[in-house]
Every structure is written in structure tokens, then in C-alpha cells.
Amino acid sequence: MTINETIQVANSQMPTIGMGLWKLEQDQAAKAVRDAIAIGYRHLDSATDYANELQVGDGISQALAEGLCSREDLWVTSKLWNTDHRAEHVRPALERTLKDLQVDYLDLYLIHFPIALKHVPHDHHYPADWLYDQNDPNGKMQLDAVPLSETWAAMEEMVEAGLVRHIGVCNFSTGLIHDLLTYAKIPPAVVQVESHPYFTQEPLLRLCRERNIAVTAFSPLGALSYVPLNMAKATDTVLEEPVVLTAAKRLNKTPAQIVLRWGIQRNVAIIPKSSNPERLRENLQLFDFSLNDQEMVDISALNRNQRFNDPGEFCERVFGAFHPIYD
Ligand code: A2P
């Protein structure tokens, strides 16, 4: 099965494999991004919340200054944080991201979570996090009553202003996607959600396919990112599943390459993160082999609806606030 190196996003082509930037340390980010572009990455998945956009921006501008590629060759995604959902906060939030990333426009701007939190002025604390006051040991999450339709309308204005080429959402359920489609003047170009063999998200993928919305899978390798955060156990890794190991042996590829290839062979984009240059390279090399139909079926059958990134769970555990967004 041939899978293209780009995926259709509205009237554009987005590179199928992106570099995930969540948890990339500030002191490594500039070099990691520059080096990733040097080895062929053309899609960067950033977010205000990752607290490294300034350093990612340094990496991008270094790569552009070296002539490794042009701005037009890059696909740069970022995300609006929960504290900037009110209409009047969307443009300033985007402008800060553009300034930090040192770009004039984004290819894609996403609503990071369907949760509006009380606005934190940027000169008070930037980037804001889940808690309203980071310095208060008893700090709480504080919700704000902002309908997603208000935020979406402000996102649409950013397209009309030429600051972003496409807009979309992250961490939305099928119900919220249905609702968004009822009021969107510009339909979402991309939905970004967690997906891996333990969490295949078939209904959501099918809904998006039928509505011409591209899907980007975050955490395409599953548990690995979450073990150090105590959000998964080491034994939750999909990389040791016999069907993955057997396919890896047949194709002479690593288990990670098998799992990532399964991801792109479902016609979704993937954004694996690695701070290791060898693994970064490995994660790009997915186009010279393919899984057969049986391997696709067997890997998909590993699904156990296991979500690792669930604010309803971690916000309660870490911040004592129960605000589930999934049933
Ligand atoms: P590291 O940064 O040390 O390479 P995901 O993007 O699915 O959340 O996965 C990210 C996690 O997976 C990180 O812990 C990363 O570790 C690890 N990882 C990324 N690529 C590979 C790979 N090719 N093989 C094994 N582990 C990987």
C-alpha cells in the first residue's frame, strides 16, 4: 500500500510525519528542531503550553538562515491554550506564538483542549498552565464560561486576517466535532487526538474521514511518553506486542517503525516526539515498506480503548479538580 509523504488538509498538503515538540527541554529545543529540519522533518507540532516556543523559534530561524529549507516548505502547527479562549484573547495569544516561533503565519492553529480556563494575562505568567496561579501552593484550576463557538469564531478571524492558513481542534470527542460542524463557517481542517494501537479511535477517524477532516494522531507510540509522568506503566508499551515484533522481524524494521507505519497506513498524520537523533531519523523512515492487510488487522485488534492523556484523570490527581471531557 502506497502512503504519501503528505496528507490532504483542506486545499493544502501537510507532511504526514511531524516532529512532536511536547516535553522537549528548553535547552535542547533549538538544536533539536534545527537538526530535525536538517534530516528532513518539514512538519513541527508546537503549542504555547509546551513552554518552548521561543527555543523552537530559534531552531526554525537557524534552519532557515542556513538555507536548509524555505518557510514555505515547513508546516508549522501551534495551539491556543485554555486560558485564551475568550474572543478578545485569541489574536494576542496567536501573535505571541508567532513572535516566539519567529514566523509570520502558522500553517495550522488548533484549540488545544475543549476546556476554557480563566484568562491569565501574559505579563503575569506565560505560558499559563492548568492552575490559575502557578505560585500559589493551594492554586486551583478556575474554569471560565466561554462557549467553544465563541473561540471558534475568533479562530476563523485569524484565517481571514492571514495569520493562519488552517484551523482545527485537539482533544475533541465525536460529539463536540458534530456540534462544531453545525456552527463553523470555516470547518475544522484537522482534528488532533491521541491514537495508537491501544486506542484506535475508529469512530472518530471514520467521522473525520466522512467529513473531509484530516486527523493527526498524537502519542502514536502509545504509553512511552507517559511512563515518566506516572500516567502509564512501563508494561503498557505496545512495542513488545508479539504481532508488532513479528512484523518488525519480517520487515527488518524496529517495533517503533511498525507502530508508526500502522499509524500512517490508516491515513492519519503522526507526530512522534524524540529527543534522540537516531530515533528521530528512524521515525521518518516509514515510506520504504508496508504492512500487509493481516498485520494491519492484527495491530488494530490490540485496541483496548486505553487513553493515556485524559485531563479528567490527571487534573484530578495533580490539581484536585475534576473536569472530565470524555465519557
Ligand atoms: P526519546 O525522546 O528518548 O526518544 P510519543 O510521541 O508517541 O508520545 O512518543 C514519545 C516517546 O517515545 C518518548 O519517550 C521517546 O523517547 C520515545 N520514542 C520516540 N521514538 C522512538 C523510537 N523510534 N523507539 C523507541 N522509543 C521512541
Side-chain angles (χ1 to χ4, degrees):
M1 178 181 188
T2 309
I3 290 293
N4 293 328
E5 297 195 18
T6 60
I7 193 167
Q8 183 90 29
V9 167
N11 55 357
S12 302
Q13 293 289 321
M14 176 172 81
T16 308
I17 305 172
M19 181 192 191
L21 299 169
W22 179 40
K23 296 203 275 116
L24 196 58
E25 298 292 341
Q26 287 181 353
D27 59 356
Q28 297 174 8
K31 181 170 179 341
V33 167
R34 182 261 165 219
D35 291 352
I37 294 172
I39 63 169
Y41 280 84
R42 292 292 178 268
H43 171 174
L44 303 170
D45 187 80
S46 180
T48 310
D49 178 54
Y50 303 162
N52 56 15
E53 289 204 312
L54 205 52
Q55 294 76 19
V56 168
D58 286 342
I60 294 174
S61 64
Q62 200 178 325
L64 296 181
E66 284 179 54
L68 297 178
C69 68
S70 66
R71 169 66 187 92
E72 296 68 40
D73 297 330
L74 283 179
W75 180 283
V76 182
T77 297
S78 186
K79 311 187 188 85
L80 177 80
W81 185 240
N82 306 343
T83 50
D84 286 317
H85 275 211
R86 284 193 176 269
E88 66 269 28
H89 297 139
V90 171
R91 185 170 183 138
L94 172 59
E95 285 175 341
R96 173 68 188 255
T97 277
L98 292 172
K99 180 165 158 279
D100 285 357
L101 292 175
Q102 302 174 47
V103 293
D104 300 330
Y105 67 92
L106 292 180
D107 297 278
L108 179 64
Y109 199 38
L110 303 170
I111 297 179
H112 204 149
F113 282 98
I115 300 180
L117 296 176
K118 187 173 159 188
H119 179 65
V120 177
H122 293 181
D123 58 4
H124 176 66
H125 189 90
Y126 189 88
D129 208 323
W130 293 90
L131 292 181
Y132 180 71
D133 187 347
Q134 311 296 309
N135 302 318
D136 177 358
N138 300 314
K140 295 257 178 311
M141 263 175 80
Q142 296 192 27
L143 296 188
D144 196 4
V146 190
L148 287 162
S149 53
E150 173 179 331
T151 311
W152 189 255
M155 299 280 285
E156 290 174 329
E157 283 178 24
M158 298 304 93
V159 178
E160 283 146 20
L163 298 180
V164 301
R165 294 174 64 217
H166 303 286
I167 50 178
V169 295
C170 292
N171 299 303
F172 270 41
S173 59
T174 49
L176 285 181
I177 296 169
H178 272 294
D179 189 49
L180 172 58
L181 290 170
T182 64
Y183 57 76
K185 283 188 287 173
I186 302 177
V190 172
V191 170
Q192 184 180 123
V193 290
E194 175 179 343
S195 190
H196 42 75
Y198 287 158
F199 191 35
T200 55
Q201 298 250 41
E202 289 302 338
L204 187 143
L205 262 59
R206 183 173 162 199
L207 171 66
C208 289
R209 199 179 314 122
E210 291 182 4
R211 299 303 186 99
N212 291 321
I213 305 169
V215 173
T216 298
F218 74 77
S219 304
L221 289 167
L224 287 176
S225 269
Y226 300 97
V227 177
L229 300 174
N230 289 326
M231 291 160 75
K233 299 188 291 299
T235 49
D236 284 331
T237 180
V238 68
L239 298 185
E240 284 160 26
E241 284 286 354
V243 287
V244 171
L245 296 175
T246 305
K249 195 157 176 221
R250 177 180 84 78
L251 291 156
N252 197 22
K253 298 289 168 187
T254 68
Q257 286 174 314
I258 298 300
V259 170
L260 296 176
R261 174 73 199 190
W262 168 86
I264 63 172
Q265 229 171 286
R266 301 165 83 213
N267 287 311
V268 305
I270 55 169
I271 45 168
K273 171 259 169 191
S274 180
S275 32
N276 172 307
E278 279 314 305
R279 288 198 281 271
L280 268 179
R281 205 182 286 274
E282 176 182 324
N283 295 349
L284 261 191
Q285 284 159 8
L286 307 179
F287 297 103
D288 59 350
F289 69 102
S290 63
L291 297 170
N292 62 35
D293 291 347
Q294 192 59 50
E295 287 163 336
M296 288 300 292
V297 168
D298 291 346
I299 297 174
S300 297
L302 297 174
N303 182 43
R304 49 196 202 199
N305 293 328
Q306 187 174 19
R307 190 194 294 276
F308 295 110
N309 193 327
D310 183 350
E313 186 277 319
F314 69 77
C315 287
E316 179 166 43
R317 185 165 40 82
V318 184
F319 311 125
F322 183 53
H323 300 299
I325 55 173
Y326 307 115
D327 297 328

